[in-house]
Amino acid sequence: MGLLETYLKEKVERECHTCLQEIMKSEMNGVTNLCHGDMGMLDFLLMAEQKGLITLGYIKQQFEKIILTRLNNLNELQTNHIGCIFIPGIMTGLSGVAYQLMRIVKPNQPPSLLSLGFFKQGAL
């Protein structure tokens, strides 16, 4: 690996660690979507768990504590900032929630939509 590749890898690792620390400090934001909501944060945490950056079980704890509570009351499930409006889309809708639920059950398949295969390429 060349000097530039080493520098970029180290920079990406530092940024990911910073992002991970911020996610773990913050509360979930109340929006349950894949794009910029709690499901997206859970996806990042799932990848961090797979890479050994956080302890096993953290995803399960967060999932059970927050997401299952919301899913038990579908009338109040908010996938966007507009309110409880049905949106079927993958990034800001219910299909993204369903996709992320599949990822939590089987983390290696389907692949993360947010990483675009970045983690599989050996960047981290």
Side-chain angles (χ1 to χ4, degrees):
M1 187 179 326
L3 186 60
L4 179 60
E5 289 85 9
T6 302
Y7 168 76
L8 290 175
K9 182 177 188 264
E10 290 173 359
K11 183 168 177 53
V12 167
E13 286 176 348
R14 277 194 311 273
E15 291 297 322
C16 285
H17 281 285
T18 301
C19 184
L20 178 61
Q21 290 170 355
E22 290 301 313
I23 288 172
M24 292 177 76
K25 280 193 310 190
S26 71
E27 292 291 321
M28 297 292 181
N29 68 20
V31 176
T32 310
N33 70 37
L34 189 57
C35 180
H36 57 278
D38 297 340
M39 286 301 199
M41 286 193 274
L42 284 171
D43 188 65
F44 183 83
L45 292 171
L46 179 62
M47 289 185 286
E49 186 176 75
Q50 289 173 328
K51 292 291 179 182
L53 300 174
I54 59 176
T55 59
L56 292 174
Y58 184 79
I59 295 299
K60 187 173 183 286
Q61 292 169 6
Q62 292 301 310
F63 176 72
E64 288 175 352
K65 185 170 98 179
I66 296 167
I67 305 301
L68 281 180
T69 302
R70 290 189 199 149
L71 291 176
N72 282 330
N73 195 358
L74 285 176
N75 291 335
E76 295 180 18
L77 183 67
Q78 191 171 343
T79 61
N80 54 66
H81 293 289
I82 299 169
C84 301
I85 298 173
F86 175 74
I87 297 176
I90 191 82
M91 295 307 284
T92 60
L94 289 178
S95 57
V97 172
Y99 192 89
Q100 189 60 27
L101 291 174
M102 289 188 303
R103 281 208 18 86
I104 291 170
V105 172
K106 293 200 171 222
N108 296 322
Q109 45 173 283
S112 170
L113 293 175
L114 301 180
S115 73
L116 300 174
F118 184 70
F119 286 89
K120 291 191 183 251
Q121 296 172 4
L124 291 180

